[in-house]
Amino acid sequence: GQSLEQPSEVTAVEGAIVQINCTYQTSGFYGLSWYQQHDGGAPTFLSYNALDGLEETGRFSSFLSRSDSYGYLLLQELQMKDSASYFCAVKTGGFKTIFGAGTRLFVKA
Amino acid sequence: NAGVTQTPKFQVLKTGQSMTLQCAQDMNHEYMSWYRQDPGMGLRLIHYSVGAGITDQGEVPNGYNVSRSTTEDFPLRLLSAAPSQTSVYFCASSYSGQETQYFGPGTRLLVL
């Protein structure tokens, strides 16, 4: 079967750094994406890694290790508005994308 | 640009009823997909399309039909609604070769 594992909840303090991990087991792999979803809203794209290494976009960075089937999303200088759910997603063969169950991030003042 | 639009926003159905969830995008995206989101289970792919006239099944296609007669529209049909289809449904679109999927605001469906 295909599976993506990520923690169900993470709590951090405003201004801190938090890392959300994702491990995957899929029949095909083209790349790892991250999406953010606020309560009641639609998922919005954050980042995509097709190759090993770190991609940085402002306060957010994403890392991929294909040999370890592992990636993470790093959020720096946390703000209250970062409280949301974060999903990792793997693009598999046949133009399909498989999503993880999501990590709920709580940012405390 | 309106982006990806979905109608209706909310719907209540009785078991056995049929209905169509509408999805439209004005970005000329080739790829369109339908997902359902249930608590604690993330997003699961129902059906997807790589262009007009071409559709394929995702992870959970049973009980749903799709068609893609135009680039802009990708309706999802529930043939005979069941309580297990109570969920939030998201439509998404993207350009060919790009990874960013743009999601619509979702349709919240309750089947009694």
Side-chain angles (χ1 to χ4, degrees), chain A residues 2 33 35 37 39-45 48 87 91 93-102, chain B residues 31 35 37 40-43 45 48 50 56-59 90 98-101 103-106 108:
Chain A
Q2 308 199 90
S33 299
Y35 285 80
Q37 185 181 32
D39 284 348
T44 57
F45 174 83
Y48 176 74
F87 296 88
K91 184 177 181 182
F95 309 106
K96 296 179 182 178
T97 300
I98 307 297
F99 281 77
Chain B
Y31 296 160
Y35 295 89
Q37 185 173 34
M41 297 189 71
L43 292 146
L45 183 64
Y48 66 98
V50 300
D56 206 347
Q57 296 181 351
E59 300 172 81
F90 287 101
Q98 290 192 1
E99 301 315 317
T100 306
Q101 290 195 65
F103 284 81
R108 284 151 181 78

Side-chain angles (χ1 to χ4, degrees), chain B residues 63-102:
Chain B
Y64 307 96
N65 272 358
V66 293
S67 60
R68 184 100 178 266
S69 56
T70 67
T71 299
E72 295 78 18
D73 299 299
F74 191 42
L76 178 72
R77 280 181 286 277
L78 280 71
L79 308 173
S80 177
S84 60
Q85 293 179 305
T86 293
S87 189
V88 181
Y89 292 84
F90 287 101
C91 178
S93 71
S94 62
Y95 281 116
S96 169
Q98 290 192 1
E99 301 315 317
T100 306
Q101 290 195 65
Y102 297 86

